Amino acid sequence: MDTRTLPPWSAAEFEQQLRSKGQGYHIHHPIHLMMAEGKLSRRQLQGWVANRFYYQISIPRKDAAIMANCPDRAVRREWVLRILDHDGHDQDAGGIEAWIGLGQAVGLSREDITSLRWVSPAARFAVDAYVNFARQASWHEAVASSLTELFAPHIHQQRLDTWPIHYPWVDAAGLRYFKKRLSEARRDVQHGLRLTLEYFSQSRALQLRALEIVQFKLDVLWALADAILLQTCEIAVIGEKP
């Protein structure tokens, strides 16, 4: 059927279609299931934190790319908060620094984390694909790619609930990143969802394109989890650093 002849979904139906993508979120990936069940070793948890740091430091670069492509000053004024959340501002050291604190809480040194020597090539490839998409796509499409944040509060809360039980050796102060993101992600998704519903609801074809973009981002996160799982399984077998 030619989607060009189909009327657009209502805003409510379109939003439901976007939210239904949550069934492919990486909370369902084997490494996250293992994490939630307390089945990761100390070294495997360290490998996950170290690899994900590359994603954390890439988020502000992705958001800066979106802003560079966006001619709307009002949108930029809101979007810049995402960069400040991660890079820090005033008395807030930011999410990147909070993630370094998480790494230290699981037993890594600052240099272990910031040197990126634990980051697998496949993890870099997945994250770089996301940053490159944000640079090359229209700003509306790059905004839509952020909507995996619809599902993020659940995974952050899951870690806050399960880590103290299954990984009591992790310093609780290191979980600040997850607490911080609970409110930030909810605020961000309200903005990104509003922009996506406004722009992509012009036609069914655009709505379907938005769903494709969200799926692309889900695939990036899944591929990142695949890369980390492969590396951490190797760690479990050979007992050495990546």
Side-chain angles (χ1 to χ4, degrees), residues 71-179:
D72 190 317
R73 182 164 66 114
V75 172
R76 295 197 306 268
R77 284 167 64 95
E78 283 193 74
W79 206 267
V80 73
L81 296 177
R82 297 168 181 250
I83 297 177
L84 297 176
D85 285 342
H86 282 81
D87 283 345
H89 59 94
D90 300 325
Q91 302 305 309
D92 183 351
I96 290 174
E97 189 62 32
W99 196 272
I100 293 172
L102 175 64
Q104 293 171 322
V106 301
L108 299 172
S109 70
R110 174 178 287 269
E111 203 272 335
D112 283 334
I113 305 159
T114 59
S115 69
L116 305 180
R117 66 170 176 257
W118 281 36
V119 180
S120 77
R124 288 177 184 267
F125 188 86
V127 174
D128 289 347
Y130 181 39
V131 176
N132 288 332
F133 175 82
R135 287 175 176 156
Q136 297 167 13
S138 72
W139 72 269
H140 286 106
E141 291 196 337
V143 164
S145 73
S146 75
L147 287 183
T148 52
E149 289 177 330
L150 284 164
F151 323 117
H154 184 193
I155 203 168
H156 294 319
Q157 189 62 58
Q158 183 186 72
R159 293 164 187 158
L160 289 169
D161 292 340
T162 60
W163 280 36
I165 297 170
H166 298 307
Y167 311 106
W169 49 270
V170 176
D171 185 346
L175 303 183
R176 187 173 70 87
Y177 177 87
F178 303 137
K179 295 176 183 177

Side-chain angles (χ1 to χ4, degrees), residues 47-63:
W48 178 80
V49 172
N51 273 278
R52 286 281 301 192
F53 181 68
Y54 188 66
Y55 181 77
Q56 303 307 317
I57 63 174
S58 298
I59 291 173
R61 295 168 53 225
K62 174 268 297 184
D63 288 321

Side-chain angles (χ1 to χ4, degrees), residues 186-204:
R186 291 189 178 103
R187 179 207 65 203
D188 291 347
V189 80
Q190 288 178 358
H191 185 214
L193 182 60
R194 174 169 55 81
L195 292 171
T196 298
L197 292 177
E198 288 174 357
Y199 177 77
F200 287 90
S201 290
Q202 298 176 65
S203 70
R204 178 70 67 88

Side-chain angles (χ1 to χ4, degrees), residues 181-238:
R181 287 303 298 164
L182 282 175
S183 58
E184 291 172 352
R186 291 189 178 103
R187 179 207 65 203
D188 291 347
V189 80
Q190 288 178 358
H191 185 214
L193 182 60
R194 174 169 55 81
L195 292 171
T196 298
L197 292 177
E198 288 174 357
Y199 177 77
F200 287 90
S201 290
Q202 298 176 65
S203 70
R204 178 70 67 88
L206 279 173
Q207 290 173 329
L208 292 172
R209 174 58 181 157
L211 292 174
E212 289 176 354
I213 292 167
V214 173
Q215 184 61 55
F216 160 74
K217 175 62 182 307
L218 290 168
D219 291 345
V220 165
L221 294 173
W222 200 272
L224 176 57
D226 279 345
I228 299 173
L229 179 60
L230 176 61
Q231 186 193 70
T232 56
C233 284
E234 291 175 351
I235 294 170
V237 172
I238 67 176

